[in-house]
Amino acid sequence: MERLLIEGGVRLHGRLRVAGAKNSSLAVIAAAALAPDQSVLENVPHCRDVLIFLDILRVLGVKAEFTAQGHLVLDARTLVEHVAPYDLCRQMRASIYAAGMLLGRLGRAEVPLPGGCVIGSRPVDFHIRGFEALGAQVMTEHGFLKASAPQLTGATFYVPRSSVGTTINLMLAASRIPGLTVLQNAAHEPEVVDTAVFLSFMGARVRGAGTSTITVEGTEDLHGATYTIIPDRIEAGTYLIAAAATHGDVLVEELISEHMTALLTKLTEAGAVVEQGPTGVRVKVDSDLRPVDVDTAPYPGFATDLHPQLAAMLAVVAGRCAIRETIFEKRFGYVDELRRMGADIRVEGDTAIITGVPHLSGAPVEAIDIRAGAAMVVAGLEARGETQITNLENLDRGYEGLEEKLRGLGAQVQRLPV
Ligand code: UD1
């Protein structure tokens, strides 16, 4: 057990390189296991969710090793097992990708119903309906999703509500089965597009990723590929928000600024100076920030995964702001923790109403989920005095080298045993 100690009040200053996208990596790693072959993935972050997912795949028979250069080498020739391990899958939402992959690869899958952040009920009913559309018989029994089919074939499936996980899981299965699959109302997120591009590199014919209709022509002849994962827009956004919150000046390098439009628009509206260049995005704040209102939405809208961090920034902006959460009903777990630091936030239905206070004061708080933990980091950096964050395993699920990156920007941060 460890804790993070942050001495607040330092303006972040400098540049940092963003890691590869965690959520893309999980999907692309699952895709790589569709082919009885070797793949090499570059820019995969060493965060906890990725490491757990690799352990899940190892139980299924996949060999997975990072090279000295940090590339991930996956060898799925030895995948034989169709039952995913309960204890590991319970720890993360994306373990459900093992179901789409196993169904495509072996025609059967037994995968524990996933766990992950406590931000809402997070059912998998869309995934199940999608697998059934492809011809699988699916049941949930003893905490497992069990799917099997003598013969899967492509089909048309309307995703009932914009869902990143469902879109990716069905692309995975459809890439390996015969026939044409048409996914309507597909999610547009960059992580969906990244997965589709990698599947194309593997030999599947995937068209339309990034639009509402994705078509997949599957083939049994998938092969391994070498691929570089896109930069993590949520990690990048977290540092850019922290830069603005501390009235700092930070350049986040090697990110795709188009993925950040909704956040950068809001930061500009709040009074930050945002510069988008060929090498990255710089955020600078020289004067008081202004209140802004935000609705979270599927991409290209404002990402729900940046909602808690933005709330932490707005907690000390004079005036009143409203953040309406439209994706996850229990996203507001961070609110109680921020209140411990002196924030004035109340939740009305799906909206957090934030009344800015002059300053937050450091306090012992918990990282109750990945992004709530990131919000505590932002709050700790802008607060007066010392903030102690516990439950770091949640933060570590999504952030690689957090304290080194923050120290590189001048922050006073240390990780200590509890
Ligand atoms: C992914 C991301 C997560 C992000 C979210 C929304 C990963 C590993 N996680 O989560 O960080 O916050 O997208 O951008 O990539 N839903 C159902 N039934 C289903 C599936 C989803 O009702 O079978 C609902 C969810 O409860 C939620 C909404 O659909 O309200 C969107 O969820 P979805 O896009 O599927 O999120 P995840 O893929 O789990």
Side-chain angles (χ1 to χ4, degrees):
M1 291 273 278
E2 293 175 318
R3 64 202 161 115
L4 207 61
L5 285 186
I6 303 180
E7 186 63 40
V10 177
R11 292 180 166 192
L12 297 187
H13 189 94
R15 54 176 65 199
L16 67 93
R17 192 181 163 279
V18 69
K22 168 187 80 90
N23 288 347
S24 260
S25 298
L26 296 166
V28 169
I29 289 168
L34 282 168
D37 201 358
Q38 186 168 298
S39 288
V40 180
L41 304 179
E42 298 174 8
N43 214 23
V44 174
H46 293 228
C47 58
R48 201 161 157 259
D49 270 7
V50 167
L51 301 179
I52 294 172
F53 195 56
L54 291 178
D55 280 342
I56 292 171
L57 291 192
R58 287 188 184 105
V59 172
L60 301 176
V62 176
K63 292 182 184 134
E65 295 303 332
F66 282 100
T67 64
Q69 294 76 34
H71 301 163
L72 176 63
V73 180
L74 291 165
D75 186 343
R77 282 174 294 197
T78 42
L79 184 148
V80 284
E81 177 60 58
H82 74 284
V83 184
Y86 183 82
D87 289 346
L88 294 173
C89 290
R90 287 290 298 162
Q91 297 182 41
M92 57 184 304
R93 172 80 180 166
S95 57
I96 195 71
Y97 292 154
M101 180 275 288
L102 287 168
L103 202 55
R105 173 86 190 262
L106 302 177
R108 56 187 182 152
E110 291 189 22
V111 175
L113 294 166
C117 285
V118 204
I119 53 178
S121 56
R122 309 197 79 176
V124 290
D125 51 332
F126 304 162
H127 300 247
I128 292 174
R129 279 191 251 166
F131 293 150
E132 285 172 342
L134 299 178
Q137 287 166 350
V138 188
M139 59 175 165
T140 53
E141 199 178 57
H142 308 302
F144 276 70
L145 181 155
K146 298 181 179 180
S148 63
Q151 174 76 53
L152 292 163
T153 42
T156 295
F157 181 69
Y158 182 90
V159 183
R161 172 182 175 181
S162 181
S163 164
V164 177
T166 310
T167 304
I168 288 176
N169 227 351
L170 294 178
M171 283 197 314
L172 293 175
S175 293
R176 188 65 168 51
I177 63 177
L180 180 73
T181 295
V182 181
L183 298 177
Q184 297 169 330
N185 196 31
H188 294 206
E189 267 70 2
E191 294 76 16
V192 171
V193 178
D194 210 27
T195 311
V197 175
F198 179 67
L199 286 167
S200 302
F201 277 32
M202 295 178 73
R205 288 195 186 164
V206 186
R207 305 272 183 272
T211 74
S212 301
T213 304
I214 299 178
T215 59
V216 184
E217 273 179 68
T219 169
E220 284 190 7
D221 292 331
L222 292 179
H223 51 78
T226 296
Y227 192 67
T228 304
I229 304 287
I230 55 167
D232 196 313
R233 62 195 171 103
I234 305 300
E235 189 206 23
T238 301
Y239 290 113
L240 291 174
I241 291 171
T246 59
H247 288 214
D249 181 355
V250 169
L251 172 69
V252 179
E253 294 175 309
E254 291 183 40
L255 59 81
I256 300 170
S257 58
E258 194 192 324
H259 293 169
M260 317 288 300
T261 304
L263 171 68
L264 299 181
T265 304
K266 282 296 160 188
L267 289 178
T268 306
E269 203 182 314
V273 178
V274 175
E275 290 172 13
Q276 299 180 49
T279 55
V281 174
R282 179 178 176 192
V283 165
K284 192 167 65 153
V285 172
D286 296 323
S287 52
D288 287 347
L289 290 171
R290 296 186 288 270
V292 289
D293 295 332
V294 173
D295 284 6
T296 65
Y299 186 82
F302 192 94
T304 175
D305 284 354
L306 289 172
H307 157 174
Q309 301 90 312
L310 191 78
M313 180 190 100
L314 295 175
V316 290
V317 172
R320 232 170 78 126
C321 308
I323 302 184
R324 193 165 75 92
E325 173 60 47
T326 69
I327 314 284
F328 292 116
E329 71 272 22
K330 291 190 189 148
R331 191 45 126 185
F332 299 102
Y334 70 88
V335 169
D336 282 343
E337 300 303 298
L338 281 186
R339 281 201 194 118
R340 295 161 71 84
M341 299 177 72
D344 180 351
I345 308 180
R346 67 174 200 283
V347 179
E348 283 180 11
D350 61 0
T351 303
I353 312 285
I354 305 168
T355 306
V357 294
H359 63 86
L360 297 180
S361 57
V365 288
E366 275 184 48
I368 61 156
D369 63 59
I370 307 182
R371 308 307 170 187
M376 295 309 118
V377 172
V378 172
L381 291 167
E382 70 191 351
R384 291 188 183 166
E386 186 180 86
T387 295
Q388 173 181 289
I389 307 175
T390 49
N391 273 5
L392 291 189
E393 57 279 8
N394 279 331
L395 204 44
D396 293 340
R397 286 183 52 202
Y399 293 88
E400 172 195 64
L402 177 82
E403 54 272 25
E404 290 81 6
K405 285 181 178 171
L406 287 174
R407 277 201 291 266
L409 300 175
Q412 293 184 24
V413 185
Q414 32 177 341
R415 183 183 286 251
L416 296 170
V418 168

